[in-house]
């Protein structure tokens, strides 16, 4: 069984948020950075990776993504602030 990831990308701190799920976090974020990750993310320039959550199975990751998508914006902002208070782009951490 493969693990999975939930993640949030944004265009700037406290900007537009896009929540996604993937089995290949580096490949998926690269796709966002190249404006081919999703039409919504490309439209709003969501290329900054600000949250990554690791899950044991892709099914767990999908369930978490569905839950996060039902969260209101304030909850998501608080979650990001808890784990990434400076809204650093985590791309270098996964790609370096």
């Amino acid at each position: 069984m493969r693990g999975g990831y939930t993640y949030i990308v944004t265009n700037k701190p406290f900007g537009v948020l896009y929540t996604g799920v993937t089995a290949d976090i580096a490949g998926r974020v690269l796709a966002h950075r190249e404006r081919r990750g999703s039409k919504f993310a490309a439209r709003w320039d969501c290329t900054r990776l600000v949250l990554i959550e690791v899950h044991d199975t892709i099914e767990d990751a999908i369930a978490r993504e569905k839950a996060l998508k039902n969260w209101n914006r304030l909850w998501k902002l608080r979650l990001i602030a808890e784990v990434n208070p400076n809204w650093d782009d985590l791309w270098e951490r996964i790609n370096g």
Side-chain angles (χ1 to χ4, degrees):
M1 260 191 282
R2 289 183 65 178
Y5 304 86
T6 49
Y7 65 93
I8 296 178
V9 290
T10 187
N11 56 348
K12 61 185 178 184
F14 303 97
V16 175
L17 303 176
Y18 175 86
T19 303
V21 64
T22 184
D24 175 10
I25 190 69
R28 183 70 171 139
V29 175
L30 179 61
H32 284 299
R33 294 174 76 84
E34 293 176 346
R35 310 292 192 276
R36 54 184 178 81
S38 80
K39 289 182 181 179
F40 178 89
R43 176 179 180 196
W44 294 103
D45 195 33
C46 294
T47 59
R48 177 192 293 246
L49 177 65
V50 292
L51 179 78
I52 307 167
E53 295 179 335
V54 181
H55 303 278
D56 291 335
T57 68
I58 192 66
E59 292 80 11
D60 289 345
I62 291 167
R64 175 64 169 163
E65 181 208 24
K66 287 179 182 178
L68 286 172
K69 286 191 174 200
N70 285 322
W71 281 23
N72 68 47
R73 178 177 170 79
L74 183 59
W75 296 350
K76 292 176 192 176
L77 294 175
R78 284 184 186 153
L79 176 64
I80 295 164
E82 286 173 11
V83 298
N84 186 1
N86 296 323
W87 288 67
D88 295 327
D89 188 347
L90 304 176
W91 170 248
E92 294 302 323
R93 293 188 196 171
I94 65 166
N95 195 48

